[in-house]
Amino acid sequence: METISNKPMDDIEGKEKANTVMEEKMLPEITARYETAMFTVNRKLNAMIRELTPGDLTAEQLSTLRYIRSKGSATSSELADIFCVGRSSITAIITRLSAKNLIIRRLDEKDRRVIYLELSEEGTRLTDEMETRILHLFSKYLVDFDSEEAMLFINVLEKLAKVLAETADGSGNQQ
Amino acid sequence: METISNKPMDDIEGKEKANTVMEEKMLPEITARYETAMFTVNRKLNAMIRELTPGDLTAEQLSTLRYIRSKGSATSSELADIFCVGRSSITAIITRLSAKNLIIRRLDEKDRRVIYLELSEEGTRLTDEMETRILHLFSKYLVDFDSEEAMLFINVLEKLAKVLAETADGSGNQQ
DNA sequence: ATAGAATAGTTCAATAGTTGAACTATATCA
DNA sequence: TGATATAGTTCAACTATTGAACTATTCTAT
């Protein structure tokens, strides 16, 4: 993934070093701006999605459904990893989704410890409906960005996600 | 805020329209990639920051302290707006922070309905310490990005935050 | 083959965050 | 002045999360 711009920066041969130094200096500012903006984006988007969601479904529950929808099925441990929470937390969420008949537990016949989580028909329908609504919401805001900046943004965001995900270290929680 | 790249896209005069059409088509893909990456980034970063934080301080509490630190002082209503939650939620958080002697309630003498929230000495010390740790954490990851892509990313992120914040509509919650 | 370790998931108690309604107190405005 | 709006709190109900203890399986190393 290389940058698109061809506007040269310093180009006194030591490109590598020049960039590093500059960032060192700008670190506090970049960090502060990143955090402030990220905070606002997350809070506002979550609030908006919350308003789109049927009253008896929480943000975590919706995220869980959507993740399973995207993968077809998932296990508790996988969800705990992805969501960076303990497994007991996932159990609680799954129990509630199951009580609402949105999720089905399917036993693995080979390894009888594992349980595959899948969406029920109703769960699939509801998740698809939410996907549509969210897409519609996003489309309202995406028109303010041109393709190029949007793609650049997404690429850097994905790179960041990759870098963070690779640092498997803490990863938040486990037992 | 204009894009930096000078690599022309289509330039058959109808730049405006060309871009719009292209995004329309790419909307589902962009949305999916954005959401997936954003989800990972948030979960991972939150988990990492959680690990840096003294055990008796939660993510919400830390965010609250940091916001107040950045502004000097804030009111409950202001925090409820920024955090997109109800005021009673803020009351609960403030009560706990106050019990830990990290926050002080200062009464406004002009308008006796409002209460300014400020950090105590201990709150200031703790928040500054956390800022340092977070900066250190970020610096580990920022080296993977060059200045240019970092700045582009931040600019688009801030633009997104601005667009979302301006849509004052739902804003999540209020009473 | 089997004992010990690892893995997948659940249960439970405790705590934090959130909602929404009802409430108090104060300020604004018409 | 009386109605309305604003700032904040309290309360009950609920969800999410943690961490420890637990069951049930599977793996692995001798």
Side-chain angles (χ1 to χ4, degrees):
Chain A
M1 185 179 309
E2 71 290 74
T3 40
I4 282 183
S5 152
N6 31 27
K7 187 198 292 178
M9 296 283 299
D10 279 56
D11 38 30
I12 321 174
E13 180 263 335
K15 188 184 176 184
E16 198 74 359
K17 195 172 179 186
N19 274 343
T20 304
V21 167
M22 171 175 279
E23 274 162 24
E24 210 82 29
K25 202 169 58 184
M26 302 189 330
L27 179 59
E29 188 207 323
I30 288 191
T31 303
R33 288 174 60 192
Y34 167 86
E35 287 198 276
T36 302
M38 203 57 136
F39 186 84
T40 302
V41 168
N42 286 328
R43 292 281 176 165
K44 294 288 175 191
L45 271 183
N46 281 346
M48 287 175 184
I49 292 178
R50 208 186 305 152
E51 287 183 359
L52 293 182
T53 319
D56 56 344
L57 211 57
T58 68
E60 306 304 312
Q61 290 170 6
L62 180 60
S63 293
T64 305
L65 291 176
R66 295 181 75 197
Y67 180 81
I68 296 174
R69 174 69 170 145
S70 76
K71 296 285 182 180
S73 78
T75 66
S76 274
S77 299
E78 180 184 350
L79 287 169
D81 271 359
I82 296 286
F83 284 62
C84 300
V85 297
R87 277 181 311 216
S88 57
S89 193
I90 302 295
T91 299
I93 294 176
I94 297 300
T95 300
R96 288 177 193 118
L97 286 173
S98 186
K100 290 174 190 166
N101 294 312
L102 298 174
I103 257 185
I104 297 169
R105 287 176 160 95
R106 186 170 58 75
L107 304 176
D108 185 336
E109 292 167 1
K110 299 276 179 64
D111 185 338
R112 302 200 305 182
R113 291 170 301 183
V114 351
I115 297 176
Y116 294 109
L117 306 167
E118 297 171 353
L119 299 195
S120 69
E121 211 163 309
E122 171 66 2
T124 305
R125 198 200 56 69
L126 193 150
T127 306
D128 287 350
E129 165 68 16
M130 283 305 302
E131 294 285 355
T132 305
R133 289 192 200 176
I134 290 171
L135 208 58
H136 186 253
L137 173 67
F138 273 56
S139 71
K140 271 195 282 188
Y141 295 101
L142 209 64
V143 297
D144 290 323
F145 300 83
D146 68 59
S147 308
E148 202 177 349
E149 69 179 346
M151 290 316 296
L152 268 165
F153 177 75
I154 295 272
N155 285 335
V156 177
L157 186 63
E158 284 178 338
K159 178 172 167 182
L160 181 58
K162 182 159 164 284
V163 168
L164 288 174
E166 274 166 2
T167 311
D169 66 16
S171 73
N173 197 312
Q174 75 292 339
Q175 290 181 57
Chain B
M1 185 178 309
E2 71 287 74
T3 39
I4 283 184
S5 152
N6 30 28
K7 185 200 296 177
M9 295 284 299
D10 280 57
D11 38 29
I12 323 174
E13 181 261 337
K15 187 184 176 185
E16 198 73 1
K17 196 173 180 185
N19 273 344
T20 305
V21 166
M22 170 175 281
E23 276 161 23
E24 210 81 30
K25 201 168 58 186
M26 303 187 332
L27 178 59
E29 188 207 325
I30 289 190
T31 303
R33 288 175 60 192
Y34 168 86
E35 286 197 276
T36 302
M38 203 57 137
F39 186 84
T40 302
V41 169
N42 285 328
R43 292 279 175 166
K44 295 285 177 193
L45 270 184
N46 281 346
M48 287 175 182
I49 292 178
R50 208 186 305 152
E51 286 182 1
L52 294 183
T53 319
D56 56 345
L57 211 57
T58 67
E60 306 303 313
Q61 289 170 7
L62 180 60
S63 294
T64 305
L65 290 177
R66 295 181 75 196
Y67 180 82
I68 296 174
R69 175 70 169 144
S70 76
K71 295 287 182 178
S73 77
T75 65
S76 275
S77 299
E78 180 183 350
L79 287 169
D81 271 359
I82 297 287
F83 283 62
C84 300
V85 297
R87 278 181 310 221
S88 57
S89 194
I90 302 295
T91 299
I93 294 176
I94 296 300
T95 299
R96 289 178 191 119
L97 286 173
S98 186
K100 290 173 189 164
N101 293 313
L102 299 173
I103 257 185
I104 298 169
R105 288 176 158 96
R106 186 170 59 75
L107 304 176
D108 185 336
E109 291 166 3
K110 300 273 179 66
D111 185 339
R112 301 202 304 183
R113 290 171 303 183
V114 350
I115 298 176
Y116 293 110
L117 305 167
E118 297 171 353
L119 298 195
S120 69
E121 211 163 308
E122 170 67 3
T124 304
R125 197 200 56 71
L126 192 150
T127 307
D128 287 350
E129 166 67 17
M130 283 304 303
E131 295 285 356
T132 305
R133 290 193 200 175
I134 291 171
L135 209 57
H136 185 253
L137 173 67
F138 273 56
S139 71
K140 271 195 281 188
Y141 295 101
L142 210 63
V143 298
D144 290 323
F145 300 84
D146 68 58
S147 308
E148 202 177 348
E149 70 180 345
M151 290 316 296
L152 268 164
F153 177 75
I154 295 274
N155 285 335
V156 177
L157 186 62
E158 284 179 336
K159 178 172 165 181
L160 181 57
K162 183 159 164 282
V163 168
L164 288 173
E166 274 167 1
T167 311
D169 65 18
S171 73
N173 194 312
Q174 73 295 336
Q175 287 180 59

